[in-house]
C-alpha cells in the first residue's frame, strides 16, 4: 500500500512538471504561464479537480514510445469560478508543443461530454503547435471528435476559447465554433495557413502577428472577440465574463446582489442627444448609466465599433445589449456590424438572456464595397436573429431609426416586447433631406420650396409620434427614466412564454 | 425695488446673479445663445430669451438684442456679469437711452477706466503710483519694438480692451515682440473687437493684489478690503484669497484709500475693483502700483463676500435702484480667511490644454459647511469651445488661512468630473504646496514651481500605504460579493471567504504592497493601518477614515485594476491575490509606442497655420504650427531639432485631440 502511495506521489509530481523545468522556464521567458498556472489563475483557489492526469499517448511510431509524459499535453478537469462549476482544458505547450494526439483529444472530449450532461460551461485554454504529426490520421480524428462535440454543445452550454499561444491549421476550427474567442496580444495567433505557406503560395510576406495576431482578429477579421494584454489579464477577465453567463440553456441567467437602485434616475441622459442631428454622442455613456454599477463587458469592442454588443446586469440579472454607436460611422449598419450583432443576439436567445436594444441608426451603408460583398445576406442575418429570438426584447429608440434599419433593430414588428422611444426619436423611411428630394423631385431646382418641404417633412416625421400613433412605439419616455423602465419591463417579462413553430432547424442566411 | 431684471451673461455668473435676485424677490430673465439653450442659467431663470448663434459676437455681445429682450420681457434693469458687455460704454449708454437701469457703474466711469491707456493717465493725475509704460497707440510691430526697447525688457503687450488673461503677451526680447505683437492685436480684435495694444514694463516677482470697492449714487465710496490673486498661469488667475497674507493693516488702509480716491475722481458707484501690482520684495508697505480698474463684478468676488459677510450682487442691485449703502467704512468687516480655486476645463497633465466636451459626470462637493460652489453647469452639460473654459469656482472659508486651505483639499477630493480634462488635481497640489501654504507667492509661482509641467502632487509613503489599505478592503468587498452569485456548487461560496483570499498584493504606481485584511485590522507590509472604508460595489467616491484622518478617494474600476484619485494625483493600482501576483511577475512589461516622432494636435481646434513643409530642417523651439482653440492661438513648437518627414494637416482644418499634424524623420 505504501509503495502504491509513493508511486502515486511520484506520478503526480512527474505530471505536474509537464515537459520539464527547462521548457517551463522557456514558456515563462515568453511572458506565458504554464497550463497549470493558467488554471490556477482562472478558477477559485483550491477548486480545481484534475482528471486523466495519468493518460499517456498510444503512439509507437518515430520513437514516440520512448517519450511518454503523463497527461499527454493537456490538463483537463473542473473547478469553480466564484463558486459556479466550469469545465476546463488547458493545453500544455511544454509537452510536445501542446500538440493534439488521439488521447489528448479524448481527454478534451471527456470533459465536454460531462459538461453537456451536467450543464456547465467549457473553457478551453489553447496553446498548441497543432496536430501530433507522428500520430497521423489518429490526431486528425481527435480534432474531428472535438469539432463534433463543439457543435453538439453549441447553444446548450457556453463555450469559451482563450487563445494563449499558437493555434494553426485545423486546430482553429474548434475555437471557431465556440461562442467566444479571447486572445492574448503579442503571444497568440490563429490562422489556417501560416506565413511560410502564404509566402510559398501567394508570395505575400506577412508576419504571424499581422496575419493572425490578437489585434488582427479583434479589429479586422472579427474572428476573435477581445484582445488582452497578457495571460493574467485574459484569465481574470474570463472570470468576470463567466459571471455574466448562465451555466447552460437549462438554467436561468445568474443573479448577483447589487446595491444599485433599480429606479435610479439619470437626469443627465436628458441632454445626451446633442442639439444638432449630425453631432455624434457616446452610446456607451447611456449604457453605463442604465446598467447596474456602470459595469458592462463589451464583446468585440474593436471590431465593427459602429455597433456595441455587451453583457451587463439590471437588478443583478444578466442582460445582453445591442446598441448603434453614433461615434463610429454614424452608427450605420454594414456587413461587419450586422454579422457581429446577429451572432450576439443569437447567443443571447440561445441562453435566455434578455436583449436590450438602443437604436440610433441612419440606415444601411451604401456602396459597391457593401453590395458586392453581400450586405443583403449579411444584413438579413441580424434581421433573422432578432425575428426568431423569443427572449424578452426591450427596445429604446434614442434618435434616428431610418428605413429598413428601423425594422431590423428589434422593432415592434419583429415581436419586440416593449418598444420605447425618447422624445428625440425620429422614425422615418429616411432623413428629411433625402425624402424631400424624392417626393418633390420636380421642385429640386427651387431652394426655397425644398427648404419648406424639408421643414414640413421634419415636422411630420422627425418625432416619435407618428410611430406611436400606429402603436409601433409603446410609450415615449423621458431619457432619465430609462433604467427604471427597463428594470420594470424585465420584471414583467420574466415569465414570458413564446415558442417558434417546430422545425428541424431554421435556415438563417449564412 | 426692481420687479424683474435681465442678466446679460451666461455660465456661473449668470446663475450667481439669479440666486441673489431670487432671494431678493426679483424675477429674472436669462439670455442665451444656441449653444446654451439647455444651460443651467436658462433653467434657473424665470424667463429666457434666445439671442443667436453660439459665437459671442452673434449672441452675448448683441446689445440691441439684449435691449429688445428687456423690452419684450419688461425687465427694468440689466446685470451684465463680467466679460461680454459688462465694460462696454456703448451698452451702458444704450440702456440708459432706453430707460433701463444698468446694474453697474456710470457710463463715464466705464469709459475712463475701460480704456487702459486713459485710466493710467487718470490714476497718475489722482496721485496713484503707476508702472512705467507707453500710453499712446502703437501703429505696427516696428514701433512696438522701438517702444519696448525704450522701456526696457521685459515688457508686457496688452490688448487695450483686454482682460481675463486674454490678449496679453510677455516679451523678454525683440524676437518675442516681433512674434507676438500682431497676435496680440488679432486676439484683441477677435475677443473684444478692438485691436489697440499698449506696452508697459513688466515688474518681476510681483504679487497681484486688488481692492474691492462699492459705491452708491449718493457719493459714498467704501473699500471692502483686498484680495490676492497672485497664483496665476499665463496671466489667468487660478487661486484667489482674501485677505492677502502680504498686506498689513497700514498697507490695506493706504491701498484702500488711494483706490477710493481714484474712484471718487470719476464719480464711481456700484462694485468695482482696483487692481494693483505689488512688489513682494518691498516690505515698506508702499510698493504697490496701479494696474487697472475693473468697472464690474470680478470673478473672484466670493472671497470678499465670505470675509465681509456682504452679498456684492445684492449691493449692486440696491445701488442701481438708488439706495444708499447701509454701512460705513468702519463697519466693513474683515473676519476669517477665504480661498477660491477656479476649476477649469484644462488638462494640467497635457500642458493645461483646453478640453471641451460633455460633462458625463459632474458632482461638485455639496452640503459642506463653509464650502461654496459657484457654477453654471450640471451633469450632462457641454463645455463648448465658444466660451471661457471655467467650469466652477470652489470657495472655502475658515477662521484661519490654513483652515480655509485644508477645506479646499477636502472639497477638491470630493469634486467629481468626468468626460473632459480638468485641473482639480493641480488645484489640490497647489493647496498642498509648502510655498503656497507659507504665503510666499508671486505671479510667477506656477511657472517657477512647475517648470516641467504638472505630473500630479507628490504622495508620501504614508498616503501610499493608506491607499493600499483601502484598495485591499475594496478588493475584499468585491470578492465577497462575487461569491454571492447564485448557482453555487457548494452550499455557500466557502472559497471566497477563506482568510487566504483576504491577503492582497496591491501594486501601486509600480511598487508592491502586501495588504492583509483581518477582522477589524488591516496591515500594509506588516504595519497596522486602522481603516474604515464603507464601500458598495459600483461606488465612485469612497469616504474612508484612516488612522482617524478622513481620506476621500475617487475610485474608478479598470480591467484587473483600479484608478484612485485623491490629494492631487491619480494612482493606478493592480490588486491581485498573492499567488496570482507571483505569476504576474512572468508577464512582460509592454513599452508604449514612441510618439515623440509625431507632432500631435494637443487639443481639439482649428489649424490656422502650418509653418513648415516636408523636408524642412527644424530647430528646437521653432514654431511648427498654430492651432486655435478657445479663442487662443497656440503656437506648437519643435521639442527638439529634426527634419520634417511628412505634413498631415493643413491650415483651415479642424483637428481632434491627438490627431497627427506632422511626422519627423
Amino acid at each position: 500500500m505504501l509503495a502504491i502511495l509513493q508511486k502515486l506521489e511520484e506520478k503526480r509530481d512527474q505530471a505536474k512538471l509537464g515537459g520539464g523545468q527547462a521548457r517551463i522556464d522557456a514558456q515563462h521567458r515568453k511572458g506565458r504561464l504554464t497550463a497549470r498556472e493558467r488554471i490556477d489563475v482562472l478558477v477559485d483557489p483550491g477548486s480545481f479537480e484534475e482528471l486523466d492526469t495519468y493518460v499517456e499517448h498510444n503512439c509507437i511510431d518515430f520513437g514516440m514510445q520512448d517519450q511518454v509524459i503523463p497527461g499527454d499535453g493537456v490538463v483537463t478537469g473542473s473547478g469553480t469560478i466564484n463558486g459556479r462549476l466550469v469545465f476546463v482544458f488547458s493545453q500544455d505547450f511544454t509537452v510536445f508543443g501542446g500538440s493534439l494526439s488521439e488521447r489528448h483529444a479524448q481527454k478534451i472530449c471527456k470533459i465536454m461530454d460531462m459538461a453537456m450532461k451536467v450543464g456547465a460551461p467549457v473553457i478551453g485554454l489553447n496553446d498548441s503547435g497543432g496536430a501530433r504529426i507522428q500520430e497521423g490520421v489518429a490526431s486528425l480524428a481527435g480534432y474531428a471528435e472535438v469539432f463534433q462535440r463543439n457543435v453538439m454543445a453549441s447553444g446548450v452550454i457556453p463555450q469559451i476559447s482563450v487563445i494563449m499561444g499558437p493555434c494553426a491549421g485545423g486546430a482553429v476550427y474548434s475555437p471557431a465554433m465556440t461562442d467566444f474567442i479571447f486572445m492574448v496580444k503579442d503571444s497568440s495567433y490563429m490562422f489556417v495557413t501560416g506565413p511560410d505557406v502564404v509566402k510559398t503560395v501567394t508570395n505575400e510576406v506577412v508576419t504571424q502577428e499581422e496575419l493572425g495576431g490578437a489585434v488582427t482578429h479583434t479589429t479586422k477579421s472579427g474572428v476573435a472577440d477581445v484582445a488582452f494584454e497578457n495571460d493574467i489579464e485574459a484569465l481574470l477577465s474570463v472570470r468576470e465574463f463567466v459571471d455574466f453567463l448562465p451555466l447552460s440553456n437549462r438554467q436561468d441567467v445568474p443573479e448577483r446582489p447589487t446595491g444599485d437602485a433599480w429606479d435610479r434616475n439619470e437626469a443627465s441622459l436628458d441632454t445626451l442627444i446633442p442639439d444638432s442631428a449630425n453631432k455624434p454622442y457616446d452610446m456607451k455613456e447611456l449604457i453605463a448609466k442604465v446598467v447596474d454599477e456602470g459595469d458592462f463587458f463589451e464583446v468585440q469592442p474593436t471590431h465593427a465599433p459602429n455597433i456595441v454588443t455587451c453583457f451587463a446586469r439590471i437588478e443583478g440579472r444578466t442582460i445582453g445589449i445591442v446598441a448603434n454607436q453614433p461615434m463610429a460611422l454614424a452608427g450605420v449598419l454594414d456587413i461587419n456590424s450586422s454579422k457581429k450583432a446577429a451572432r450576439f443576439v443569437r447567443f443571447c436567445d440561445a441562453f435566455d438572456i434578455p436583449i436590450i436594444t438602443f437604436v440610433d441608426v441612419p440606415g444601411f451603408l451604401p456602396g459597391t464595397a457593401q453590395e458586392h460583398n453581400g450586405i443583403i445576406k449579411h444584413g438579413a442575418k441580424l434581421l433573422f436573429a432578432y425575428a426568431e429570438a423569443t427572449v424578452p426584447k426591450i427596445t429604446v429608440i434614442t434618435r434616428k431609426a431610418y428605413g429598413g434599419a428601423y425594422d431590423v433593430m428589434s422593432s415592434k414588428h419583429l415581436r419586440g416586447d416593449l418598444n420605447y422611444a425618447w422624445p428625440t426619436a425620429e422614425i422615418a423611411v429616411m432623413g428629411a433631406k433625402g425624402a424631400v428630394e424624392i417626393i418633390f423631385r420636380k421642385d429640386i431646382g427651387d431652394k426655397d420650396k425644398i427648404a419648406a418641404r424639408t421643414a414640413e417633412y421634419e415636422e411630420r416625421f422627425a418625432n416619435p409620434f407618428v410611430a406611436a400613433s400606429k402603436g409601433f412605439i409603446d410609450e415615449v419616455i423621458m431619457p432619465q427614466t430609462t433604467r427604471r423602465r427597463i428594470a420594470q419591463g424585465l420584471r414583467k417579462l420574466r415569465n414570458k412564454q413564446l415558442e417558434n413553430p417546430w422545425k428541424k432547424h431554421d435556415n438563417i442566411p449564412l | 425695488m426692481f420687479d424683474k431684471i435681465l442678466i446679460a451673461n451666461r455660465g456661473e455668473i449668470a446663475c450667481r446673479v439669479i440666486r441673489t435676485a431670487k432671494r431678493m424677490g426679483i424675477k429674472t430673465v436669462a439670455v442665451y445663445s444656441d449653444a446654451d439653450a439647455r444651460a443651467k442659467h436658462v433653467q434657473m431663470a424665470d424667463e429666457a430669451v434666445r439671442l443667436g448663434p453660439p459665437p459671442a459676437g452673434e449672441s452675448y455681445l448683441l446689445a440691441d438684442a439684449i435691449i429688445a429682450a428687456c423690452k419684450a420681457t419688461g425687465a427694468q434693469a440689466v446685470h451684465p456679469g463680467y466679460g461680454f458687455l459688462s465694460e462696454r460704454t456703448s451698452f451702458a449708454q444704450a440702456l440708459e437711452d432706453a430707460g433701463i437701469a444698468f446694474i453697474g457703474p456710470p457710463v463715464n466711469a466705464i469709459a475712463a477706466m475701460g480704456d487702459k491707456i486713459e485710466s493710467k493717465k487718470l490714476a497718475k493725475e489722482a496721485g496713484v503710483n503707476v508702472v512705467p509704460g507707453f500710453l499712446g497707440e502703437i501703429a505696427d510691430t516696428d514701433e512696438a519694438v522701438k517702444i519696448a526697447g525704450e522701456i526696457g525688457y521685459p515688457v508686457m503687450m496688452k490688448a487695450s480692451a483686454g482682460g481675463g488673461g486674454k490678449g496679453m503677451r510677455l516679451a523678454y526680447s525683440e524676437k518675442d515682440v516681433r512674434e507676438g505683437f500682431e497676435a496680440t492685436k488679432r486676439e484683441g480684435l477677435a475677443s473684444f473687437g478692438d485691436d489697440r495694444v499698449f506696452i508697459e514694463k513688466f515688474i518681476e516677482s510681483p504679487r497681484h493684489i486688488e481692492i474691492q470697492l462699492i459705491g452708491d449714487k449718493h457719493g459714498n465710496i467704501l473699500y471692502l478690503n483686498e484680495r490676492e490673486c497672485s497664483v496665476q498661469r499665463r496671466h489667468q488667475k487660478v487661486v484667489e484669497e482674501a485677505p492677502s497674507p502680504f498686506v498689513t493693516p497700514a498697507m490695506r488702509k493706504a491701498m484702500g484709500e488711494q483706490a477710493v480716491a481714484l474712484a471718487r475722481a470719476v464719480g464711481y458707484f456700484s462694485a468695482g475693483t482696483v487692481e494693483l501690482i505689488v512688489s513682494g520684495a518691498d516690505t515698506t508697505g508702499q510698493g504697490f502700483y496701479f494696474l487697472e480698474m475693473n468697472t464690474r463684478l470680478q470673478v473672484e468676488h466670493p472671497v470678499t463676500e465670505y470675509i465681509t459677510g456682504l452679498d456684492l450682487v445684492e449691493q449692486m442691485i440696491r445701488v442701481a435702484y438708488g439706495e444708499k449703502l447701509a454701512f460705513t467704512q468702519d463697519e466693513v468687516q474683515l473676519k476669517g480667511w477665504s480661498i477660491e480655486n477656479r476649476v477649469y476645463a484644462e488638462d494640467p497633465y497635457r500642458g493645461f490644454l483646453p478640453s471641451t466636451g460633455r460633462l458625463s459626470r459632474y458632482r461638485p462637493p455639496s452640503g459642506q459647511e463653509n464650502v461654496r460652489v459657484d457654477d453654471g453647469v450640471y451633469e450632462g452639460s457641454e463645455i463648448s469651445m465658444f466660451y471661457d473654459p471655467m467650469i466652477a469656482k470652489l470657495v472655502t472659508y475658515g477662521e484661519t488661512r490654513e483652515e480655509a486651505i485644508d477645506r479646499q483639499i477636502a472639497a477638491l477630493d470630493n469634486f467629481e468630473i468626468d468626460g473632459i480634462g480638468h485641473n482639480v488635481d493641480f488645484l489640490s497640489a497647489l493647496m498642498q504646496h509648502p510655498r503656497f501654504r507659507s504665503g510666499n507667492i508671486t505671479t510667477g509661482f506656477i511657472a517657477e514651481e512647475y517648470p516641467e509641467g504638472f505630473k500630479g502632487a507628490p504622495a508620501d509613503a504614508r498616503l501610499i500605504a493608506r491607499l493600499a489599505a483601502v484598495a485591499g478592503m475594496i478588493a475584499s468587498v468585491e470578492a465577497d460579493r462575487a461569491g454571492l452569485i447564485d448557482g453555487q456548487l457548494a452550499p455557500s461560496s466557502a472559497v471566497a471567504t477563506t482568510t487566504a483570499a483576504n491577503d492582497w498584493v496591491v501594486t501601486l504606481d509600480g511598487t508592491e504592497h502586501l495588504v492583509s485584511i483581518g477582522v477589524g485590522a488591516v496591515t500594509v507590509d506588516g504595519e497596522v493601518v486602522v481603516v474604515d472604508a464603507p464601500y458598495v460595489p459600483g461606488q465612485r467616491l469612497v469616504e474612508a477614515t484612516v488612522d482617524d484622518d478622513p481620506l476621500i478617494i475617487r475610485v474608478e474600476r479598470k480591467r484587473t485594476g483600479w484608478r484612485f484619485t485623491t490629494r492631487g494625483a491619480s494612482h493606478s493600482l493592480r490588486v491581485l491575490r498573492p499567488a496570482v501576483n507571483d505569476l504576474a511577475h512572468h508577464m512582460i512589461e509592454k513599452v508604449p509606442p514612441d510618439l515623440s516622432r509625431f507632432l500631435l494636435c494637443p487639443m481639439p481646434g482649428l489649424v490656422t497655420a502650418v509653418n513648415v513643409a516636408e523636408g524642412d530642417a527644424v530647430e528646437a523651439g521653432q514654431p511648427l504650427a498654430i492651432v486655435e482653440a478657445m479663442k487662443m492661438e497656440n503656437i506648437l513648437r519643435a521639442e527638439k531639432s529634426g527634419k520634417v518627414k511628412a505634413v498631415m494637416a493643413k491650415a483651415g482644418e479642424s483637428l481632434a485631440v491627438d490627431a497627427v499634424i506632422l511626422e519627423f524623420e
Side-chain angles (χ1 to χ4, degrees):
Chain A
M1 183 67 188
L2 198 66
I4 294 280
L5 287 182
Q6 207 165 8
K7 190 147 186 215
L8 177 65
E9 196 78 0
E10 272 169 32
K11 279 235 168 205
R12 265 195 189 143
D13 287 348
Q14 198 199 346
K16 287 236 167 79
L17 216 51
Q21 194 58 46
R23 291 211 173 95
I24 291 175
D25 291 344
Q27 184 83 345
H28 285 162
R29 272 197 301 278
K30 284 185 269 185
R32 295 175 184 163
L33 299 179
T34 66
R36 283 191 171 74
E37 287 168 345
R38 284 169 176 162
I39 291 173
D40 285 345
V41 177
L42 178 68
V43 301
D44 297 331
S47 74
F48 186 63
E49 184 187 24
E50 187 172 342
L51 303 178
D52 290 343
T53 316
Y54 316 111
V55 163
E56 296 168 354
H57 70 72
N58 55 355
C59 182
I60 47 164
D61 294 314
F62 307 106
M64 284 298 283
Q65 64 272 27
D66 302 328
Q67 300 177 51
V68 172
I69 298 173
D72 205 26
V74 64
V75 182
T76 59
S78 63
T80 59
I81 289 180
N82 289 319
R84 297 197 311 153
L85 178 64
V86 293
F87 286 83
V88 185
F89 71 85
S90 177
Q91 290 178 314
D92 189 346
F93 195 78
T94 68
V95 178
F96 308 124
S99 61
L100 186 127
S101 66
E102 189 185 350
R103 291 275 161 82
H104 177 131
Q106 267 173 25
K107 285 180 70 175
I108 296 174
C109 290
K110 188 194 260 185
I111 60 142
M112 290 182 75
D113 290 341
M114 198 131 148
M116 288 268 281
K117 259 188 293 191
V118 305
V122 171
I123 302 167
L125 310 180
N126 297 64
D127 189 356
S128 163
R132 184 89 48 89
I133 297 167
Q134 295 90 335
E135 290 196 10
V137 72
S139 171
L140 295 183
Y143 273 123
E145 292 287 339
V146 177
F147 296 161
Q148 182 64 46
R149 279 168 181 78
N150 284 136
V151 174
M152 292 297 100
S154 183
V156 178
I157 51 169
Q159 301 180 77
I160 298 168
S161 301
V162 192
I163 316 297
M164 312 188 82
C167 182
V172 299
Y173 287 112
S174 171
M177 291 188 294
T178 60
D179 297 303
F180 298 99
I181 301 178
F182 298 137
M183 291 182 80
V184 180
K185 282 185 197 168
D186 306 321
S187 76
S188 73
Y189 50 86
M190 288 176 84
F191 34 66
V192 176
T193 48
D196 294 341
V197 181
V198 170
K199 174 104 193 344
T200 323
V201 178
T202 69
N203 242 339
E204 260 181 300
V205 179
V206 66
T207 63
Q208 285 187 345
E209 193 62 30
E210 275 175 81
L211 184 65
V215 173
T216 301
H217 281 316
T218 53
T219 53
K220 273 192 196 142
S221 75
V223 163
D225 293 290
V226 191
F228 296 100
E229 287 304 322
N230 56 46
D231 281 16
I232 299 279
E233 194 191 283
L235 294 163
L236 293 178
S237 299
V238 170
R239 286 178 61 84
E240 279 184 34
F241 186 70
V242 167
D243 281 350
F244 285 100
L245 306 182
L247 295 177
S248 74
N249 67 345
R250 308 196 285 273
Q251 274 145 298
D252 203 359
V253 293
E255 186 170 334
R256 197 177 78 167
T258 178
D260 203 348
W262 70 274
D263 57 352
R264 172 166 48 79
N265 213 52
E266 283 289 344
S268 63
L269 290 181
D270 286 352
T271 57
L272 182 66
I273 306 300
D275 291 326
S276 159
N278 298 322
K279 231 176 121 188
Y281 61 93
D282 190 356
M283 193 58 99
K284 288 186 200 170
E285 182 179 335
L286 167 59
I287 295 172
K289 285 182 174 172
V290 163
V291 304
D292 287 357
E293 301 166 22
D295 179 29
F296 59 95
F297 196 111
E298 208 180 337
V299 178
Q300 300 212 319
T302 47
H303 176 69
N306 38 331
I307 206 156
V308 177
T309 51
C310 63
F311 292 109
R313 296 180 183 85
I314 296 276
E315 294 196 84
R317 296 169 64 88
T318 304
I319 54 166
I321 295 177
V322 178
N324 308 112
Q325 170 60 291
M327 299 274 275
L329 290 172
V332 76
L333 282 180
D334 58 3
I335 291 174
N336 287 343
S337 60
S338 301
K339 277 158 60 180
K340 169 179 167 180
R343 188 164 163 75
F344 184 79
V345 166
R346 280 170 65 87
F347 176 84
C348 291
D349 187 45
F351 289 97
D352 261 335
I353 299 171
I355 300 165
I356 311 297
T357 308
F358 294 121
V359 184
D360 185 351
V361 64
F364 279 97
L365 184 64
T368 50
Q370 292 288 312
E371 297 292 352
H372 293 178
N373 287 303
I375 180 72
I376 295 174
K377 285 250 168 164
H378 295 297
K381 287 177 184 171
L382 182 55
L383 175 58
F384 198 110
Y386 266 124
E388 71 171 340
T390 56
V391 289
K393 290 186 280 192
I394 300 178
T395 307
V396 181
I397 300 174
T398 61
R399 190 165 63 174
K400 295 169 195 161
Y402 288 167
Y406 153 73
D407 282 340
V408 170
M409 293 302 294
S410 198
S411 64
K412 196 78 199 163
H413 326 291
L414 304 182
R415 303 189 292 181
D417 294 303
L418 287 166
N419 290 63
Y420 295 120
W422 285 5
T424 40
E426 302 172 18
I427 301 145
V429 176
M430 57 174 70
K433 200 172 155 282
V436 167
E437 280 171 7
I438 293 169
I439 305 173
F440 302 102
R441 187 167 302 212
K442 61 178 176 7
D443 296 336
I444 217 146
D446 189 338
K447 262 195 186 152
D448 293 341
K449 242 183 197 168
I450 287 288
R453 298 293 193 191
T454 307
E456 198 182 311
Y457 189 92
E458 271 173 6
E459 174 70 25
R460 177 91 177 103
F461 290 110
N463 60 57
F465 304 115
V466 178
S469 74
K470 298 180 191 304
F472 302 160
I473 293 296
D474 295 308
E475 176 65 299
V476 180
I477 62 169
M478 281 308 284
Q480 58 173 307
T481 64
T482 305
R483 174 175 164 87
R484 182 162 60 82
R485 293 280 188 166
I486 290 174
Q488 220 157 28
L490 288 169
R491 286 181 187 174
K492 291 172 188 168
L493 293 167
R494 204 171 281 186
N495 296 317
K496 175 184 175 184
Q497 286 194 340
L498 180 63
E499 267 178 40
N500 292 334
W502 186 92
K503 53 182 101 173
K504 188 169 175 199
H505 61 70
D506 58 45
N507 187 18
I508 188 166
L510 289 173
Chain B
M1 186 43 63
F2 301 118
D3 298 317
K4 190 190 271 188
I5 63 171
L6 181 144
I7 297 92
N9 214 305
R10 63 177 300 281
E12 67 89 13
I13 194 62
C15 297
R16 190 256 167 276
V17 173
I18 292 170
R19 258 197 309 275
T20 288
K22 281 200 163 158
R23 187 172 51 73
M24 294 173 72
I26 302 170
K27 289 212 157 36
T28 54
V29 181
V31 290
Y32 63 93
S33 74
D34 291 339
D36 281 338
R38 302 190 284 197
K40 187 174 179 181
H41 73 279
V42 174
Q43 298 190 348
M44 280 176 73
D46 297 307
E47 290 169 74
V49 178
R50 176 187 176 269
L51 293 176
E58 296 167 47
S59 53
Y60 295 107
L61 291 173
L62 293 178
D64 292 346
I66 289 166
I67 290 167
C70 288
K71 287 182 176 157
T73 57
Q76 300 147 314
V78 170
H79 196 298
Y82 51 73
F84 296 130
L85 294 170
S86 60
E87 292 174 284
R88 292 260 177 109
T89 45
S90 55
F91 179 60
Q93 188 63 54
L95 283 174
E96 201 178 303
D97 296 345
I100 300 162
F102 179 65
I103 303 174
V107 176
N108 66 304
I110 305 175
M113 293 301 159
D115 186 320
K116 298 210 159 115
I117 296 166
E118 192 61 27
S119 71
K120 283 222 170 148
K121 286 181 187 156
L122 262 168
K124 221 170 185 174
E125 281 163 26
V128 184
N129 199 9
V130 296
V131 181
F134 181 77
L135 303 181
E137 267 188 57
I138 301 164
D140 55 21
T141 302
D142 286 335
E143 197 188 341
V145 167
K146 186 170 142 270
I147 291 164
E150 282 164 17
I151 297 170
Y153 289 100
V155 297
M156 177 69 82
M157 296 178 284
K158 271 185 174 177
S160 191
K166 292 225 168 77
M168 288 168 86
R169 266 188 173 70
L170 184 56
Y172 283 96
S173 67
E174 186 182 320
K175 179 169 157 275
D176 292 343
V177 175
R178 289 202 182 276
E179 265 183 36
F181 183 73
E182 283 301 323
T184 311
K185 282 184 82 152
R186 275 199 302 278
E187 272 180 33
L189 191 62
S191 296
F192 313 103
D194 183 344
D195 73 347
R196 286 177 303 158
V197 170
F198 73 94
I199 296 183
E200 69 181 13
K201 179 150 183 81
F202 179 67
I203 295 180
E204 279 177 291
S205 304
R207 300 176 78 117
H208 177 119
I209 300 174
E210 60 193 26
I211 298 289
Q212 174 70 52
L213 297 174
I214 185 81
D216 62 22
K217 292 179 177 173
H218 307 277
N220 301 304
I221 304 177
L222 311 178
Y223 63 91
L224 305 180
N225 305 316
E226 80 283 359
R227 292 185 288 259
E228 173 149 14
C229 321
S230 294
V231 181
Q232 307 181 348
R233 203 186 61 78
R234 291 174 67 188
H235 311 296
Q236 179 94 300
K237 292 168 187 169
V238 179
V239 185
E240 297 106 340
E241 59 187 305
S244 157
F246 186 73
V247 172
T248 60
M251 188 175 173
R252 178 171 301 128
K253 190 160 186 290
M255 290 163 82
E257 283 172 356
Q258 277 199 23
V260 168
L262 174 61
R264 204 173 288 287
V266 291
Y268 202 86
F269 55 76
S270 194
T273 296
V274 174
E275 294 198 339
L276 302 156
I277 193 162
V278 177
S279 168
D282 189 338
T283 51
T284 62
Q286 299 297 316
F288 57 89
Y289 308 92
F290 175 78
L291 212 53
E292 61 183 38
M293 179 168 183
N294 294 322
T295 57
R296 53 163 161 88
L297 190 64
Q298 301 267 104
V299 175
E300 59 271 25
H301 73 274
V303 293
T304 299
E305 295 185 325
Y306 256 131
I307 62 157
T308 59
L310 294 167
D311 179 332
L312 286 175
V313 171
E314 179 188 340
Q315 295 301 325
M316 288 176 80
I317 294 172
R318 290 190 184 286
V319 166
Y321 191 68
E323 288 186 19
K324 268 189 183 170
L325 291 178
F327 51 92
T328 64
Q329 187 66 56
D330 293 340
E331 289 166 337
V332 172
Q333 266 191 47
L334 199 174
K335 193 162 165 273
W337 213 286
S338 180
I339 309 250
E340 173 179 289
N341 272 313
R342 296 194 189 185
V343 179
Y344 281 114
E346 287 176 349
D347 191 346
Y349 296 101
R350 302 177 63 113
F352 294 93
L353 288 161
S355 176
T356 58
R358 180 175 154 84
L359 287 169
S360 56
R361 189 176 180 86
Y362 179 76
R363 312 265 163 105
S366 68
Q368 294 177 16
E369 212 186 331
N370 291 325
V371 176
R372 166 175 165 182
V373 180
D374 279 19
D375 60 18
V377 294
Y378 48 80
E379 188 165 291
S381 283
E382 188 89 7
I383 300 293
S384 95
M385 59 181 285
F386 296 105
Y387 313 111
D388 190 271
M390 193 169 77
I391 303 170
K393 303 186 305 202
L394 179 65
V395 195
T396 58
Y397 177 78
E399 304 244 314
T400 62
R401 187 168 184 264
E402 198 173 21
E403 205 180 296
I405 294 174
D406 287 342
R407 250 185 208 128
Q408 279 285 349
I409 296 171
L412 286 163
D413 282 344
N414 257 302
F415 216 126
E416 295 180 78
I417 303 174
D418 269 351
I420 57 163
H422 59 80
N423 67 340
V424 166
D425 282 358
F426 180 64
L427 296 174
S428 177
L430 292 177
M431 294 299 105
Q432 296 172 69
H433 200 291
R435 186 175 150 196
F436 176 80
R437 296 184 76 98
S438 77
N440 174 27
I441 45 178
T442 68
T443 54
F445 175 76
I446 290 175
E448 287 155 26
E449 298 299 327
Y450 300 92
E452 306 291 319
F454 178 67
K455 306 264 186 299
D460 60 17
R462 200 176 62 164
L463 178 61
I464 297 287
R466 289 174 171 190
L467 292 178
V470 174
M473 292 199 70
I474 289 180
S476 292
V477 172
E478 291 271 358
D480 287 351
R481 198 274 295 264
L484 293 175
I485 191 168
D486 63 9
Q488 296 285 313
L489 184 64
S492 70
S493 182
V495 209
T497 49
T498 57
T499 44
N502 281 329
D503 276 356
W504 301 96
V505 178
V506 178
T507 306
L508 205 155
D509 295 338
T511 310
E512 292 184 359
H513 305 274
L514 179 66
V515 179
S516 294
I517 312 291
V519 181
V522 176
T523 64
V524 177
D525 298 325
E527 302 272 329
V528 174
V529 181
V530 182
V531 194
D532 178 31
Y535 173 77
V536 177
Q539 193 176 318
R540 297 284 299 276
L541 194 71
V542 175
E543 294 177 64
T545 308
V546 191
D547 296 336
D548 289 332
D549 294 330
L551 179 62
I552 300 154
I553 309 168
R554 281 167 276 148
V555 301
E556 195 186 341
R557 188 109 158 77
K558 299 272 181 195
R559 182 166 278 152
T560 73
W562 295 84
R563 186 147 203 90
F564 278 14
T565 306
T566 185
R567 302 289 152 104
S570 278
H571 306 274
S572 71
L573 296 92
R574 192 179 70 189
V575 187
L576 298 175
R577 285 187 284 116
V580 175
N581 191 70
D582 288 344
L583 294 175
H585 290 154
H586 295 302
M587 299 300 105
I588 294 166
E589 202 63 47
K590 289 180 186 170
V591 187
D594 178 21
L595 291 175
S596 68
R597 283 196 306 114
F598 298 93
L599 176 70
L600 302 179
C601 187
M603 75 215 105
L606 181 77
V607 180
T608 54
V610 178
N611 309 18
V612 291
E614 263 174 53
D616 285 4
V618 297
E619 293 296 315
Q622 182 178 333
L624 299 173
I626 300 175
V627 174
E628 192 188 278
M630 294 271 185
K631 294 191 286 181
M632 293 282 281
E633 283 190 352
N634 297 274
I635 302 176
L636 308 180
R637 292 168 190 280
E639 279 180 19
K640 52 186 186 216
S641 348
K643 198 170 174 193
V644 179
K645 186 179 173 193
V647 178
M648 278 82 160
K650 54 183 188 295
E653 206 173 323
S654 279
L655 293 184
V657 67
D658 283 341
V660 178
I661 296 173
L662 49 86
E663 186 185 349
F664 300 103
E665 277 182 0

